[in-house]
Amino acid sequence: MNNGQSPVPPAPQPAHLPNSASPTLPVESSGLNDNDAPKYFFQEKYAPLNVKGNFLTLCACPKNVELGEWLAHQIVEQYRLLHGMLQVIQEPNGPSGLPICNENTCPTMSAGRLTYTWLVDGRAAKISAPKFINRVEKWIVSKIHDPVMFPTTPVHGVPITAALNDVDAATSAAPGTVSADSWIGKSSGFPQTFYKDCQGIMKQMFRCYAHIYHAHWLNPFWHINKHDILNMCFVHFITVAKYYKLVADKEMEPMQPLIDLFIRQQRIPPEALNGGHWAQQTSS
Ligand SMILES: [Zn+2]
């Protein structure tokens, strides 16, 4: 387990506390698992990446590419990376044949103190993490393959797609993202809701990362020495999310200490923070 290079965290922490007494929660939910144990993954010594370099070069929109086209490409790529990490906790494992993230280990979709809920028949329902993640993945794949949201040829008419269950988004409005007759992706045939849909998808992807870190960082990622790959995927994800204002700052709170750490180390490049894409456009 210990390969002689990586320090081993002092002691495993319980992945979850029982929370059967929890009251019904609002959709964005909260405050139950009062798990204040130190989080190893929030500490610098446990936060290496397996690559050096600047994710800005992977993330910045080339001048000759329409932003909508580029964002679609970014979303697909981010989903590919996340899916690879999710597979690690979804594959049947050990004698039980159960995946590491299963109904018993993860009866709710938690990220530290937060519990994410799923809208079922108009009500916020607590479902297990594996069910939640499975639904998110199916939903994202359906979006990516939806010819209205991700058209392969320009389309006309009114789009009917909308972001998942919450339009709160609170993401600070990016300049020129949408207006009655102009929006990101219009010239490439994307619907008016395209940017909002991208935000909806990225928010759910963020929640999957938050669960991976809070519930499965130690087991299996640390134990199989894949925590550096996880960090690389996460830094890339956050760089894109911040650069294009796709995930609200408030949504990122469960992972804020690690995000702050990567910002201090400039692994999340400063350009992604200071106005991102739109600042680059006006300054050049
Ligand atoms: Zn889990």
PDB file of all heavy atoms in Angstrom, residues 159-188:
ATOM      1  N   PRO A 159     -35.975  26.127 -28.544  1.00  0.00           N
ATOM      2  CA  PRO A 159     -35.489  24.950 -27.827  1.00  0.00           C
ATOM      3  C   PRO A 159     -36.380  24.618 -26.643  1.00  0.00           C
ATOM      4  O   PRO A 159     -37.018  25.509 -26.071  1.00  0.00           O
ATOM      5  CB  PRO A 159     -34.117  25.385 -27.342  1.00  0.00           C
ATOM      6  CG  PRO A 159     -34.232  26.849 -27.204  1.00  0.00           C
ATOM      7  CD  PRO A 159     -35.161  27.312 -28.274  1.00  0.00           C
ATOM      8  N   ILE A 160     -36.443  23.349 -26.301  1.00  0.00           N
ATOM      9  CA  ILE A 160     -37.259  22.976 -25.148  1.00  0.00           C
ATOM     10  C   ILE A 160     -36.415  22.450 -24.000  1.00  0.00           C
ATOM     11  O   ILE A 160     -36.920  22.133 -22.949  1.00  0.00           O
ATOM     12  CB  ILE A 160     -38.298  21.901 -25.517  1.00  0.00           C
ATOM     13  CG1 ILE A 160     -37.632  20.742 -26.247  1.00  0.00           C
ATOM     14  CG2 ILE A 160     -39.390  22.503 -26.393  1.00  0.00           C
ATOM     15  CD1 ILE A 160     -38.522  19.534 -26.381  1.00  0.00           C
ATOM     16  N   THR A 161     -35.132  22.357 -24.202  1.00  0.00           N
ATOM     17  CA  THR A 161     -34.309  21.859 -23.107  1.00  0.00           C
ATOM     18  C   THR A 161     -34.148  22.928 -22.038  1.00  0.00           C
ATOM     19  O   THR A 161     -34.204  24.106 -22.309  1.00  0.00           O
ATOM     20  CB  THR A 161     -32.910  21.460 -23.597  1.00  0.00           C
ATOM     21  OG1 THR A 161     -32.387  22.547 -24.327  1.00  0.00           O
ATOM     22  CG2 THR A 161     -32.968  20.226 -24.455  1.00  0.00           C
ATOM     23  N   ALA A 162     -33.955  22.471 -20.837  1.00  0.00           N
ATOM     24  CA  ALA A 162     -33.703  23.402 -19.732  1.00  0.00           C
ATOM     25  C   ALA A 162     -32.803  22.719 -18.725  1.00  0.00           C
ATOM     26  O   ALA A 162     -32.671  21.507 -18.713  1.00  0.00           O
ATOM     27  CB  ALA A 162     -35.004  23.798 -19.070  1.00  0.00           C
ATOM     28  N   ALA A 163     -32.198  23.516 -17.895  1.00  0.00           N
ATOM     29  CA  ALA A 163     -31.322  22.937 -16.881  1.00  0.00           C
ATOM     30  C   ALA A 163     -32.124  22.110 -15.907  1.00  0.00           C
ATOM     31  O   ALA A 163     -33.324  22.338 -15.729  1.00  0.00           O
ATOM     32  CB  ALA A 163     -30.571  24.025 -16.152  1.00  0.00           C
ATOM     33  N   LEU A 164     -31.493  21.185 -15.289  1.00  0.00           N
ATOM     34  CA  LEU A 164     -32.110  20.178 -14.425  1.00  0.00           C
ATOM     35  C   LEU A 164     -33.229  20.683 -13.546  1.00  0.00           C
ATOM     36  O   LEU A 164     -34.287  21.036 -14.012  1.00  0.00           O
ATOM     37  CB  LEU A 164     -31.027  19.533 -13.571  1.00  0.00           C
ATOM     38  CG  LEU A 164     -31.461  18.302 -12.773  1.00  0.00           C
ATOM     39  CD1 LEU A 164     -32.081  17.243 -13.656  1.00  0.00           C
ATOM     40  CD2 LEU A 164     -30.293  17.712 -12.038  1.00  0.00           C
ATOM     41  N   ASN A 165     -33.039  20.745 -12.268  1.00  0.00           N
ATOM     42  CA  ASN A 165     -34.157  21.093 -11.410  1.00  0.00           C
ATOM     43  C   ASN A 165     -34.015  22.482 -10.832  1.00  0.00           C
ATOM     44  O   ASN A 165     -34.905  22.998 -10.205  1.00  0.00           O
ATOM     45  CB  ASN A 165     -34.302  20.082 -10.284  1.00  0.00           C
ATOM     46  CG  ASN A 165     -33.015  19.924  -9.538  1.00  0.00           C
ATOM     47  OD1 ASN A 165     -32.199  20.829  -9.539  1.00  0.00           O
ATOM     48  ND2 ASN A 165     -32.828  18.795  -8.903  1.00  0.00           N
ATOM     49  N   ASP A 166     -32.886  23.098 -11.081  1.00  0.00           N
ATOM     50  CA  ASP A 166     -32.682  24.350 -10.401  1.00  0.00           C
ATOM     51  C   ASP A 166     -32.144  25.387 -11.328  1.00  0.00           C
ATOM     52  O   ASP A 166     -31.132  25.219 -11.947  1.00  0.00           O
ATOM     53  CB  ASP A 166     -31.723  24.151  -9.246  1.00  0.00           C
ATOM     54  CG  ASP A 166     -30.747  23.074  -9.555  1.00  0.00           C
ATOM     55  OD1 ASP A 166     -30.638  22.707 -10.731  1.00  0.00           O
ATOM     56  OD2 ASP A 166     -30.090  22.611  -8.652  1.00  0.00           O
ATOM     57  N   VAL A 167     -32.857  26.449 -11.393  1.00  0.00           N
ATOM     58  CA  VAL A 167     -32.429  27.519 -12.262  1.00  0.00           C
ATOM     59  C   VAL A 167     -31.815  28.628 -11.430  1.00  0.00           C
ATOM     60  O   VAL A 167     -31.593  29.709 -11.906  1.00  0.00           O
ATOM     61  CB  VAL A 167     -33.589  28.062 -13.075  1.00  0.00           C
ATOM     62  CG1 VAL A 167     -33.292  27.897 -14.562  1.00  0.00           C
ATOM     63  CG2 VAL A 167     -34.865  27.353 -12.732  1.00  0.00           C
ATOM     64  N   ASP A 168     -31.583  28.322 -10.159  1.00  0.00           N
ATOM     65  CA  ASP A 168     -31.024  29.346  -9.274  1.00  0.00           C
ATOM     66  C   ASP A 168     -29.697  29.855  -9.809  1.00  0.00           C
ATOM     67  O   ASP A 168     -29.461  31.034  -9.924  1.00  0.00           O
ATOM     68  CB  ASP A 168     -30.844  28.787  -7.861  1.00  0.00           C
ATOM     69  CG  ASP A 168     -29.857  27.659  -7.825  1.00  0.00           C
ATOM     70  OD1 ASP A 168     -30.105  26.607  -8.427  1.00  0.00           O
ATOM     71  OD2 ASP A 168     -28.818  27.802  -7.191  1.00  0.00           O
ATOM     72  N   ALA A 169     -28.866  28.911 -10.163  1.00  0.00           N
ATOM     73  CA  ALA A 169     -27.567  29.158 -10.799  1.00  0.00           C
ATOM     74  C   ALA A 169     -26.708  30.250 -10.193  1.00  0.00           C
ATOM     75  O   ALA A 169     -25.551  30.061 -10.044  1.00  0.00           O
ATOM     76  CB  ALA A 169     -27.716  29.410 -12.261  1.00  0.00           C
ATOM     77  N   ALA A 170     -27.256  31.349  -9.873  1.00  0.00           N
ATOM     78  CA  ALA A 170     -26.504  32.376  -9.153  1.00  0.00           C
ATOM     79  C   ALA A 170     -25.111  32.618  -9.694  1.00  0.00           C
ATOM     80  O   ALA A 170     -24.352  33.384  -9.149  1.00  0.00           O
ATOM     81  CB  ALA A 170     -26.394  32.038  -7.674  1.00  0.00           C
ATOM     82  N   THR A 171     -24.782  31.935 -10.735  1.00  0.00           N
ATOM     83  CA  THR A 171     -23.481  32.182 -11.329  1.00  0.00           C
ATOM     84  C   THR A 171     -23.500  33.608 -11.855  1.00  0.00           C
ATOM     85  O   THR A 171     -24.440  33.997 -12.517  1.00  0.00           O
ATOM     86  CB  THR A 171     -23.245  31.225 -12.500  1.00  0.00           C
ATOM     87  OG1 THR A 171     -23.521  29.915 -12.044  1.00  0.00           O
ATOM     88  CG2 THR A 171     -21.837  31.302 -12.997  1.00  0.00           C
ATOM     89  N   SER A 172     -22.479  34.335 -11.551  1.00  0.00           N
ATOM     90  CA  SER A 172     -22.480  35.717 -11.987  1.00  0.00           C
ATOM     91  C   SER A 172     -22.612  35.736 -13.504  1.00  0.00           C
ATOM     92  O   SER A 172     -21.963  34.977 -14.203  1.00  0.00           O
ATOM     93  CB  SER A 172     -21.195  36.398 -11.554  1.00  0.00           C
ATOM     94  OG  SER A 172     -20.111  35.551 -11.835  1.00  0.00           O
ATOM     95  N   ALA A 173     -23.452  36.590 -13.969  1.00  0.00           N
ATOM     96  CA  ALA A 173     -23.731  36.606 -15.393  1.00  0.00           C
ATOM     97  C   ALA A 173     -22.480  36.952 -16.177  1.00  0.00           C
ATOM     98  O   ALA A 173     -21.797  37.921 -15.886  1.00  0.00           O
ATOM     99  CB  ALA A 173     -24.820  37.610 -15.685  1.00  0.00           C
ATOM    100  N   ALA A 174     -22.175  36.131 -17.123  1.00  0.00           N
ATOM    101  CA  ALA A 174     -21.052  36.436 -17.991  1.00  0.00           C
ATOM    102  C   ALA A 174     -21.534  37.412 -19.039  1.00  0.00           C
ATOM    103  O   ALA A 174     -22.664  37.313 -19.493  1.00  0.00           O
ATOM    104  CB  ALA A 174     -20.553  35.153 -18.627  1.00  0.00           C
ATOM    105  N   PRO A 175     -20.692  38.354 -19.406  1.00  0.00           N
ATOM    106  CA  PRO A 175     -21.116  39.369 -20.358  1.00  0.00           C
ATOM    107  C   PRO A 175     -21.619  38.732 -21.651  1.00  0.00           C
ATOM    108  O   PRO A 175     -20.982  37.837 -22.177  1.00  0.00           O
ATOM    109  CB  PRO A 175     -19.831  40.163 -20.625  1.00  0.00           C
ATOM    110  CG  PRO A 175     -18.928  39.839 -19.485  1.00  0.00           C
ATOM    111  CD  PRO A 175     -19.310  38.483 -18.998  1.00  0.00           C
ATOM    112  N   GLY A 176     -22.757  39.213 -22.093  1.00  0.00           N
ATOM    113  CA  GLY A 176     -23.262  38.770 -23.387  1.00  0.00           C
ATOM    114  C   GLY A 176     -23.648  37.316 -23.455  1.00  0.00           C
ATOM    115  O   GLY A 176     -23.655  36.720 -24.522  1.00  0.00           O
ATOM    116  N   THR A 177     -23.940  36.691 -22.295  1.00  0.00           N
ATOM    117  CA  THR A 177     -24.276  35.278 -22.353  1.00  0.00           C
ATOM    118  C   THR A 177     -25.605  35.049 -23.024  1.00  0.00           C
ATOM    119  O   THR A 177     -25.773  34.126 -23.777  1.00  0.00           O
ATOM    120  CB  THR A 177     -24.302  34.647 -20.958  1.00  0.00           C
ATOM    121  OG1 THR A 177     -24.972  35.525 -20.078  1.00  0.00           O
ATOM    122  CG2 THR A 177     -22.912  34.369 -20.483  1.00  0.00           C
ATOM    123  N   VAL A 178     -26.579  35.884 -22.707  1.00  0.00           N
ATOM    124  CA  VAL A 178     -27.873  35.663 -23.335  1.00  0.00           C
ATOM    125  C   VAL A 178     -28.669  36.961 -23.421  1.00  0.00           C
ATOM    126  O   VAL A 178     -28.638  37.795 -22.530  1.00  0.00           O
ATOM    127  CB  VAL A 178     -28.672  34.585 -22.575  1.00  0.00           C
ATOM    128  CG1 VAL A 178     -29.083  35.095 -21.205  1.00  0.00           C
ATOM    129  CG2 VAL A 178     -29.897  34.143 -23.353  1.00  0.00           C
ATOM    130  N   SER A 179     -29.348  37.102 -24.522  1.00  0.00           N
ATOM    131  CA  SER A 179     -30.331  38.169 -24.653  1.00  0.00           C
ATOM    132  C   SER A 179     -31.323  37.658 -25.678  1.00  0.00           C
ATOM    133  O   SER A 179     -31.164  36.559 -26.206  1.00  0.00           O
ATOM    134  CB  SER A 179     -29.675  39.472 -25.090  1.00  0.00           C
ATOM    135  OG  SER A 179     -29.247  39.350 -26.426  1.00  0.00           O
ATOM    136  N   ALA A 180     -32.350  38.446 -25.931  1.00  0.00           N
ATOM    137  CA  ALA A 180     -33.431  37.948 -26.774  1.00  0.00           C
ATOM    138  C   ALA A 180     -32.934  37.475 -28.141  1.00  0.00           C
ATOM    139  O   ALA A 180     -33.397  36.486 -28.672  1.00  0.00           O
ATOM    140  CB  ALA A 180     -34.488  39.022 -26.929  1.00  0.00           C
ATOM    141  N   ASP A 181     -31.982  38.183 -28.692  1.00  0.00           N
ATOM    142  CA  ASP A 181     -31.591  37.808 -30.047  1.00  0.00           C
ATOM    143  C   ASP A 181     -30.109  37.478 -30.202  1.00  0.00           C
ATOM    144  O   ASP A 181     -29.585  37.405 -31.294  1.00  0.00           O
ATOM    145  CB  ASP A 181     -31.985  38.919 -31.021  1.00  0.00           C
ATOM    146  CG  ASP A 181     -31.408  40.253 -30.569  1.00  0.00           C
ATOM    147  OD1 ASP A 181     -30.690  40.264 -29.557  1.00  0.00           O
ATOM    148  OD2 ASP A 181     -31.673  41.271 -31.224  1.00  0.00           O
ATOM    149  N   SER A 182     -29.451  37.291 -29.053  1.00  0.00           N
ATOM    150  CA  SER A 182     -28.044  36.954 -29.156  1.00  0.00           C
ATOM    151  C   SER A 182     -27.655  36.099 -27.961  1.00  0.00           C
ATOM    152  O   SER A 182     -27.985  36.432 -26.831  1.00  0.00           O
ATOM    153  CB  SER A 182     -27.221  38.242 -29.162  1.00  0.00           C
ATOM    154  OG  SER A 182     -25.870  37.934 -28.953  1.00  0.00           O
ATOM    155  N   TRP A 183     -27.007  35.007 -28.209  1.00  0.00           N
ATOM    156  CA  TRP A 183     -26.568  34.172 -27.106  1.00  0.00           C
ATOM    157  C   TRP A 183     -25.376  33.317 -27.535  1.00  0.00           C
ATOM    158  O   TRP A 183     -25.120  33.161 -28.732  1.00  0.00           O
ATOM    159  CB  TRP A 183     -27.711  33.278 -26.603  1.00  0.00           C
ATOM    160  CG  TRP A 183     -28.269  32.327 -27.620  1.00  0.00           C
ATOM    161  CD1 TRP A 183     -27.812  31.083 -27.936  1.00  0.00           C
ATOM    162  CD2 TRP A 183     -29.404  32.555 -28.479  1.00  0.00           C
ATOM    163  NE1 TRP A 183     -28.582  30.511 -28.914  1.00  0.00           N
ATOM    164  CE2 TRP A 183     -29.569  31.382 -29.266  1.00  0.00           C
ATOM    165  CE3 TRP A 183     -30.300  33.623 -28.644  1.00  0.00           C
ATOM    166  CZ2 TRP A 183     -30.583  31.253 -30.208  1.00  0.00           C
ATOM    167  CZ3 TRP A 183     -31.321  33.488 -29.591  1.00  0.00           C
ATOM    168  CH2 TRP A 183     -31.454  32.320 -30.351  1.00  0.00           C
ATOM    169  N   ILE A 184     -24.701  32.809 -26.511  1.00  0.00           N
ATOM    170  CA  ILE A 184     -23.544  31.961 -26.785  1.00  0.00           C
ATOM    171  C   ILE A 184     -23.980  30.738 -27.588  1.00  0.00           C
ATOM    172  O   ILE A 184     -24.907  30.047 -27.191  1.00  0.00           O
ATOM    173  CB  ILE A 184     -22.883  31.505 -25.460  1.00  0.00           C
ATOM    174  CG1 ILE A 184     -22.195  32.689 -24.791  1.00  0.00           C
ATOM    175  CG2 ILE A 184     -21.881  30.377 -25.709  1.00  0.00           C
ATOM    176  CD1 ILE A 184     -21.689  32.379 -23.405  1.00  0.00           C
ATOM    177  N   GLY A 185     -23.320  30.516 -28.690  1.00  0.00           N
ATOM    178  CA  GLY A 185     -23.612  29.326 -29.486  1.00  0.00           C
ATOM    179  C   GLY A 185     -24.640  29.534 -30.575  1.00  0.00           C
ATOM    180  O   GLY A 185     -24.912  28.627 -31.360  1.00  0.00           O
ATOM    181  N   LYS A 186     -25.253  30.721 -30.615  1.00  0.00           N
ATOM    182  CA  LYS A 186     -26.329  30.940 -31.592  1.00  0.00           C
ATOM    183  C   LYS A 186     -25.873  30.661 -33.016  1.00  0.00           C
ATOM    184  O   LYS A 186     -26.522  29.945 -33.770  1.00  0.00           O
ATOM    185  CB  LYS A 186     -26.860  32.374 -31.482  1.00  0.00           C
ATOM    186  CG  LYS A 186     -28.048  32.611 -32.393  1.00  0.00           C
ATOM    187  CD  LYS A 186     -28.516  34.054 -32.373  1.00  0.00           C
ATOM    188  CE  LYS A 186     -29.733  34.208 -33.296  1.00  0.00           C
ATOM    189  NZ  LYS A 186     -30.083  35.613 -33.496  1.00  0.00           N
ATOM    190  N   SER A 187     -24.724  31.230 -33.358  1.00  0.00           N
ATOM    191  CA  SER A 187     -24.276  31.093 -34.746  1.00  0.00           C
ATOM    192  C   SER A 187     -23.891  29.667 -35.103  1.00  0.00           C
ATOM    193  O   SER A 187     -23.790  29.298 -36.261  1.00  0.00           O
ATOM    194  CB  SER A 187     -23.097  32.037 -35.007  1.00  0.00           C
ATOM    195  OG  SER A 187     -21.994  31.666 -34.194  1.00  0.00           O
ATOM    196  N   SER A 188     -23.685  28.839 -34.066  1.00  0.00           N
ATOM    197  CA  SER A 188     -23.357  27.441 -34.340  1.00  0.00           C
ATOM    198  C   SER A 188     -24.596  26.557 -34.267  1.00  0.00           C
ATOM    199  O   SER A 188     -24.500  25.335 -34.382  1.00  0.00           O
ATOM    200  CB  SER A 188     -22.326  26.923 -33.328  1.00  0.00           C
ATOM    201  OG  SER A 188     -21.167  27.717 -33.343  1.00  0.00           O
TER     202      SER A 188
END
